[in-house]
Amino acid sequence: MEKLKVYDEQYNYVCEESRDVIHAKGLWHETFHCWLVDGDEVLIQKRSAAKKDFPGLFDITAAGHLFSDENVMDGLREVEEELGLSVDETKLQWMGVVRDVIELPDFIDREFTNVFLYSSSFNPADFSLQEEEVASIHAVSITDLQALFRRTARTVQVRNIENDLFETIELHDFVPHETSYLEAVASYFG
């Protein structure tokens, strides 16, 4: 059973609890978010249709919960597990901790997200996707993604990096992150 650290609203450690209890009770916990940037594009993932939470929606390039025995940098395992990429820690930019709350009828996710940017050049062959987690990786221009996250654009074009097919998506095609989280991330891209 996955145990995570529980925090109070001021980000002070309280105890450890299972992931299921944390989401059922809406307890604050820590996560790792890594956005991959390639030139003037951001890479985003489309979640697997088999995912329990938010199947088939677009999301952060790689992200996950930090277990109770992990520190923030241990979250790099998510990039390797989900995408099959090894990350050079020296190129990883910590952007800060951003609160993100998602409330659904039977699921309350209150996260202290440790947000990172990782800039590099990527080719489709660099990725080995964990099929039960990630369906595909898509590129979107930084300025377009910023406009979508700031709600100054209703749609954006994304390109599947594997087959170069384009599709138009809207904000509702993303995991429903809190507006303040999306705006903070948009500002991190410059």
Side-chain angles (χ1 to χ4, degrees), residues 36 61-62 78-85 126-129 137:
L36 301 185
T61 326
E78 294 292 344
V79 179
E80 194 160 327
E81 289 172 8
E82 293 182 4
L83 309 178
L85 283 177
D126 296 336
F127 296 89
S128 176
L129 304 181
I137 299 294

Side-chain angles (χ1 to χ4, degrees), residues 40-42 44 139-159 166-167 169-171 174 186 189:
D40 63 354
E41 295 181 316
V42 178
I44 56 176
V140 57
S141 93
I142 289 173
T143 54
D144 287 353
L145 190 63
Q146 288 172 318
L148 186 69
F149 284 179
R150 291 175 175 149
R151 292 170 170 74
T152 58
R154 202 170 75 69
T155 65
V156 295
Q157 288 273 308
V158 298
R159 175 181 52 86
F166 285 84
E167 66 181 293
I169 65 169
E170 299 180 26
L171 198 54
F174 271 83
F189 295 132

Side-chain angles (χ1 to χ4, degrees), residues 1-6 16-27 29 31 47 51-54 63-67 77-78 107-109 111 133:
M1 177 185 301
E2 293 179 5
K3 289 278 193 176
L4 311 178
K5 293 176 188 169
V6 175
E16 293 179 10
E17 192 53 82
S18 73
R19 180 179 174 163
D20 289 343
V21 168
I22 283 173
H23 287 153
K25 293 184 175 181
L27 303 174
H29 57 286
T31 56
R47 294 166 66 88
K51 287 286 287 179
K52 177 184 169 193
D53 303 322
F54 312 112
H65 291 85
L66 293 172
F67 301 124
R77 70 175 158 68
E78 294 292 344
F107 176 89
I108 304 168
D109 196 17
E111 298 182 358
E133 295 281 332

Side-chain angles (χ1 to χ4, degrees), residues 59-95:
D59 204 4
I60 303 145
T61 326
H65 291 85
L66 293 172
F67 301 124
S68 58
D69 61 347
E70 292 183 311
N71 65 46
V72 172
M73 293 311 291
D74 290 328
L76 279 173
R77 70 175 158 68
E78 294 292 344
V79 179
E80 194 160 327
E81 289 172 8
E82 293 182 4
L83 309 178
L85 283 177
S86 292
V87 172
D88 176 357
E89 280 188 48
T90 64
K91 293 171 69 176
L92 197 64
Q93 291 179 273
W94 183 68
M95 305 308 291

